[in-house]
Amino acid sequence: MSQTSVVVHPDADAMAQATAARLIVRLIDAQSHRGTASVVLTGGRGAAAIYAAVRDSPARDAVDWSKVDLWWGDERFLPSGDPERNETQARAALLDAVPLDPARVHPMPASDGPDGDDPEAAAGRYSDELALAGRAGSPSLPPFDLVLLGVGEDGHIASVFPEHPAAYDTRTVTAVRGAPKPPPVRITLTQVAINTATEVWLIAAGAGKAGAVGLAMAGGGPVQLPAAGVQGLERTLWLLDREAARDVSPRLRSLR
Ligand SMILES: O=C(O)[C@H](O)[C@@H](O)[C@H](O)[C@H](O)COP(=O)(O)O
């Protein structure tokens, strides 16, 4: 049974700093148990602030970065190196500053990759890559210690947008066309894949997120509000600032 916790931080910067510290500890703990750690990254401003805080943390080198497996929860389907790609932004904020094993870093295909500008084929390729890394008995996905998700103002997570086909998709990876958040063409893990993770952390800062966060807490549906449709097998953490937590019942909060 997944345990859900809501942590409210004074502001967006405090949330980024505290979540960076939390992420470092999560990686260390996972490695102490299994020797490796597996994290699924997301895009957006909130995630980028967390990555930069990890980069700048004195504690970052307590992680054995050579034993971290990095996947992406979603990607903007653009040419490799495009500044708008989540991979490009993660590399600039953190990945290029730590000694990762390139064989353990798994970006989603780019639109100038082997599948050209066919996002469905690219999604299938990533699904195959995940399956190759899959555990015996759980053939389609590797173990995810943590999936990190930003929450959109409309309640989307990764590139699963409200009422879009991806919210109904039972595969592990799917292509997205007509995304309301530009760029319109994307690749995303589905809620089915996300929900195999040991922990899922949802990050949201700013008053613009308060409506979606409040609705998710109040029992919104997974299709109308994709953020309400994800949870970790063991733990689901909502990491908010005060503005994004405006509509969250005080009984659900633990203020930091
Ligand atoms: O491709 C993307 O943009 C992200 O994967 C997306 O899911 C993001 O995490 C949310 O939209 C929150 O973004 P902000 O943190 O910038 O509000």
Side-chain angles (χ1 to χ4, degrees):
M1 179 66 183
S2 180
Q3 175 205 6
T4 298
S5 305
V6 179
V7 182
V8 180
H9 304 77
D11 54 40
D13 185 54
M15 186 190 77
Q17 295 296 333
T19 304
R22 189 186 293 275
L23 176 55
I24 288 169
V25 168
R26 181 76 185 102
L27 292 173
I28 294 168
D29 285 354
Q31 290 182 334
S32 68
H33 288 120
R34 207 176 67 237
T36 62
S38 171
V39 186
V40 178
L41 302 179
T42 192
R45 296 157 301 176
I50 293 166
Y51 304 154
V54 170
R55 181 198 61 215
D56 298 340
S57 168
R60 83 175 199 203
D61 294 333
V63 176
D64 180 351
W65 292 99
S66 71
K67 298 283 190 311
V68 173
D69 294 299
L70 286 180
W71 302 89
W72 268 263
D74 71 316
E75 187 57 273
R76 295 99 179 263
F77 194 56
L78 297 165
S80 182
D82 188 293
E84 284 305 301
R85 269 179 64 87
N86 292 336
E87 175 199 4
T88 309
Q89 294 179 10
R91 288 189 184 280
L94 171 60
L95 308 190
D96 289 348
V98 290
L100 293 158
D101 174 355
R104 291 179 177 268
V105 180
H106 307 274
M108 286 182 163
S111 62
D112 59 352
D115 304 298
D117 63 354
D118 180 345
E120 283 78 14
R125 177 180 302 274
Y126 203 67
S127 178
D128 292 345
E129 185 173 355
L130 284 161
L132 269 179
R135 290 167 288 189
S138 172
S140 60
L141 292 165
F144 296 143
D145 293 302
L146 169 63
V147 172
L148 189 61
L149 296 169
V151 179
E153 284 82 355
D154 60 359
H156 77 260
I157 43 89
S159 290
V160 182
F161 291 90
E163 306 282 358
H164 268 241
Y168 298 88
D169 203 313
T170 56
R171 291 170 296 177
T172 56
V173 188
T174 191
V176 175
R177 293 178 183 273
K181 175 177 183 181
V185 184
R186 294 162 169 255
I187 298 172
T188 190
L189 293 191
T190 60
Q191 291 161 313
V192 168
I194 291 166
N195 290 341
T196 66
T198 303
E199 296 194 13
V200 171
W201 298 359
L202 297 105
I203 58 174
K209 308 293 179 76
V213 170
L215 280 174
M217 298 279 157
V223 171
Q224 296 77 15
L225 204 76
V230 291
Q231 64 175 22
L233 295 173
E234 293 181 10
R235 193 181 197 201
T236 307
L237 259 181
W238 287 82
L239 300 167
L240 311 173
D241 72 348
R242 279 207 176 102
E243 289 185 346
R246 183 195 65 208
D247 298 344
V248 175
S249 155
R251 68 177 174 76
L252 288 176
R253 302 176 182 202
S254 57
L255 195 54
R256 285 290 176 271

